[in-house]
Amino acid sequence: MGFPKDFMWGGATAANQCEGAYLTDGKGLSTADVMLASKHGVPREITDGIDRNSFYPSHQAVDHYHRYKEDIALFAEMGFKCYRLSIAWSRIFPNGDDDEPNEEGLRHYEEVFKTCAEYGIEPMVTLSHFETPLGLLKYGSWANRKVVDFFLQYCRTVFTRYKGIVRYWLTFNEINVMSTKPWMAGGIVAEDEQTTMTAAFHQFLASAKAVQIAHEIDSDNKVGMMYNGHVAYPASPDPEDMQATLDFTHKMLFYCDVQCRGYYPNHKLKEFERKGIMIPMQEGDAEDLRAGTVDFISFSYYMTHTVGKKTDMNFQGLNGVKTGYKNPHLATSEWGWAIDPMGLRYLLNLLFDRYQLPLMIVENGLGAIDKVEEDGTIKDSYRIEYLRDHILAMKKAIDIDGIPVMGYTMWGPIDIIAASTGEMKKRYGFIHVDVDDEGNGTRNRTKKESFYWYKKVIESNGENLTW
């Protein structure tokens, strides 16, 4: 009983939220580099190129690019078995369509992965995490099939370069965000469904072909998909509320259906038929989708939603999508996200019952405003409580329900800029970074109370959750 002996405890970050060094060593601009900072409830503005009078949080972030050795050493001190991170595609191919890769970018990540290896930490690498090379916008980004080939050139390059030092890969971070934030998901400006569903199809195809290439280059490679864990309860027993909840589930999980089963579900094909949406399927594509199904499912989990007959199914936002309902049984975070540990067990069961594939929670955490005490300590018992309750729910899914859970990488082990707003005050980490919402600060690292708690959790393989 309990967590498997080889359970992958760790943490997760994204290059555009932590690295900084946005033009260092030959890196090109990405879609993340033209997003301004905002605040809760205010969408981030996207600029046409770089406005020198504006503040872009990704440009400096927390400088993980230069301080990765220090940061990974701290992760190792906590006992990490796995570090989920992403490669910035525009560090490898600065414009996205370059003929040759940028050697300095390749060398940087090689050093990062070797540093992980020194501590016995398994890297799990996301290939595309909310940053598409800005140079690909001239093609229409993922709405253009040419981008599939550019992505596969990038994949083949990194699969070959890092053979033997990276075994776990994720193709697209939270791929279903194409239905809620298409700019972040793939540099898509137009938000009409014909465009977003064309882009989604091209990402499905790219992922399926990447899976095949990864297996061809190294049979030890395991390639997973990454789902933004949207899951919903009906607002009431009213059959209309129940149907609305099923519609919500269909809208989100069809992405998993394609990547795990290798074909579009009938309900989605019927929806496309009603709306006149055409998927640009070419000869051989259906076979590629089936041949390139993923080896495992990874997902983020922050909250559950409540859905009913008045829910507008045209969603916006990363996680806190507006459904028109609030669950009266759940508390919320400072950013209004429902806190629901039991929902994690529910989602684990839902995904495994549906796909019978190994699962991994690669994002779960509490964004909160942390106070630095006069003596320099950060007492974040609220974060410990949140994580403890979710780990207990995960343990029940393993012990009671028999769900094969590979690992848990909380988001994010070190404070990084928030994807939704670009803020720093919305902190998730076990490690505090001295930088504010305007990018000011020393960027020095300080261990929070939760750092020492998580160390005990990993040492005991999830058995000691006390504080």
Side-chain angles (χ1 to χ4, degrees):
M1 301 289 283
F3 292 96
K5 289 182 179 179
D6 59 351
F7 194 77
M8 293 196 291
W9 295 100
T13 64
N16 68 88
Q17 291 171 256
C18 69
E19 284 185 351
Y22 83 111
L23 290 178
T24 300
D25 294 335
K27 180 184 175 295
L29 289 175
S30 79
T31 50
D33 293 325
V34 294
M35 296 182 72
L36 301 179
S38 69
K39 58 185 179 180
H40 178 50
V42 179
R44 295 181 67 180
E45 184 183 343
I46 300 162
T47 60
D48 182 13
I50 303 297
D51 177 359
R52 299 299 173 186
N53 297 314
S54 297
F55 173 59
Y56 299 88
S58 70
H59 290 191
Q60 289 183 292
V62 299
D63 199 26
H64 184 61
Y65 185 83
H66 293 112
R67 303 179 72 152
Y68 69 88
K69 289 188 177 180
E70 174 187 358
D71 294 339
I72 293 171
L74 287 166
F75 299 163
E77 187 179 338
M78 277 186 281
F80 277 24
K81 311 299 181 187
C82 179
Y83 176 30
R84 181 205 166 204
L85 68 159
S86 69
I87 292 175
W89 180 359
S90 59
R91 286 201 192 278
I92 310 304
F93 289 93
N95 301 296
D97 61 353
D98 310 79
D99 292 332
E100 298 295 331
N102 173 32
E103 176 58 29
E104 289 177 290
L106 287 168
R107 190 182 305 119
H108 169 75
Y109 289 109
E110 186 171 348
E111 292 303 314
V112 172
F113 303 145
K114 285 181 177 178
T115 301
C116 288
E118 289 172 11
Y119 293 106
I121 297 173
E122 187 88 56
M124 177 174 286
V125 177
T126 311
L127 291 158
S128 179
H129 192 134
F130 292 168
E131 52 178 338
T132 303
L134 205 63
L136 296 179
L137 264 63
K138 62 179 174 285
Y139 300 99
S141 193
W142 281 100
N144 190 324
R145 190 180 176 106
K146 287 182 179 179
V147 174
V148 174
D149 292 329
F150 297 139
F151 180 75
L152 295 177
Q153 180 189 30
Y154 157 56
C155 290
R156 189 175 289 279
T157 299
V158 297
F159 291 156
T160 301
R161 179 63 171 256
Y162 306 130
K163 179 179 179 179
I165 56 175
V166 178
R167 297 186 300 155
Y168 291 93
W169 302 88
L170 306 176
T171 49
F172 294 93
N173 179 69
E174 295 183 332
I175 191 167
N176 50 315
V177 168
M178 187 61 77
S179 287
T180 61
K181 282 278 188 183
W183 175 263
M184 297 185 78
I188 298 298
V189 179
E191 297 190 7
D192 64 283
E193 275 200 280
Q194 178 61 64
T195 301
T196 58
M197 289 301 96
T198 297
F201 169 72
H202 288 149
Q203 290 192 345
F204 291 145
L205 186 62
S207 177
K209 290 188 174 188
V211 169
Q212 295 175 72
I213 293 169
H215 291 164
E216 165 199 311
I217 288 174
D218 188 345
S219 60
D220 286 339
N221 277 334
K222 301 294 183 186
V223 187
M225 69 156 296
M226 203 295 205
Y227 170 64
N228 184 329
H230 289 297
V231 61
Y233 305 137
S236 79
D238 184 333
E240 289 189 54
D241 288 345
M242 188 64 225
Q243 182 60 52
T245 307
L246 180 61
D247 293 343
F248 176 94
T249 301
H250 279 167
K251 184 176 183 69
M252 293 300 169
L253 280 182
F254 102 87
Y255 289 85
C256 299
D257 291 344
V258 179
Q259 292 196 281
C260 298
R261 294 172 172 167
Y263 55 88
Y264 281 76
N266 286 348
H267 68 80
K268 203 66 184 177
L269 296 176
K270 281 292 184 182
E271 179 189 335
F272 289 162
E273 186 180 312
R274 291 193 303 274
K275 294 179 175 179
I277 294 171
M278 304 296 293
I279 298 303
M281 189 88 69
Q282 296 183 9
E283 185 176 352
D285 289 351
E287 291 76 12
D288 275 324
L289 291 179
R290 288 181 182 271
T293 54
V294 293
D295 299 312
F296 65 96
I297 301 169
S298 74
F299 65 95
S300 58
Y301 178 80
Y302 296 100
M303 72 188 83
T304 49
H305 305 286
T306 303
V307 170
K309 54 191 174 187
K310 67 180 182 182
T311 298
D312 181 352
M313 292 293 166
N314 296 312
F315 298 116
Q316 294 291 317
L318 281 179
N319 290 289
V321 300
K322 295 178 181 178
T323 65
Y325 298 86
K326 182 179 179 180
N327 192 326
H329 304 286
L330 300 175
T332 58
S333 73
E334 293 171 277
W335 271 260
W337 292 5
I339 298 174
D340 184 10
M342 289 182 68
L344 176 57
R345 180 181 173 189
Y346 173 68
L347 181 55
L348 283 164
N349 275 272
L350 177 67
L351 291 173
F352 186 68
D353 287 350
R354 194 177 181 103
Y355 304 112
Q356 287 83 51
L357 286 171
L359 301 173
M360 184 160 177
I361 301 150
V362 293
E363 289 187 29
N364 172 239
L366 177 67
I369 298 173
D370 293 332
K371 179 184 177 183
V372 181
E373 304 290 342
E374 289 185 8
D375 62 359
T377 61
I378 300 108
K379 296 177 173 62
D380 58 341
S381 58
Y382 41 86
R383 182 167 293 110
I384 293 170
E385 180 182 2
Y386 177 98
L387 295 172
R388 179 199 65 203
D389 291 348
H390 283 78
I391 290 171
L392 282 170
M394 176 171 56
K395 190 173 188 292
K396 287 181 179 179
I398 294 170
D399 280 349
I400 298 171
D401 308 322
I403 307 298
V405 184
M406 298 164 52
Y408 174 87
T409 55
M410 65 77 64
W411 183 268
I414 186 168
D415 291 343
I416 57 180
I417 61 173
S420 55
T421 61
E423 294 172 295
M424 273 302 301
K425 68 181 180 182
K426 185 183 183 184
R427 296 176 182 270
Y428 285 86
F430 300 128
I431 301 162
H432 179 271
V433 181
D434 177 31
V435 61
D436 63 19
D437 286 348
E438 286 73 45
N440 303 309
T442 65
R443 288 175 172 76
N444 288 342
R445 275 64 166 152
T446 305
K447 303 168 190 175
K448 305 178 190 178
E449 282 194 339
S450 57
F451 180 101
Y452 302 100
W453 172 81
Y454 198 52
K455 181 177 181 179
K456 288 199 307 180
V457 172
I458 298 175
E459 283 175 344
S460 66
N461 198 25
E463 293 303 315
N464 186 355
L465 301 176
T466 60
W467 181 247

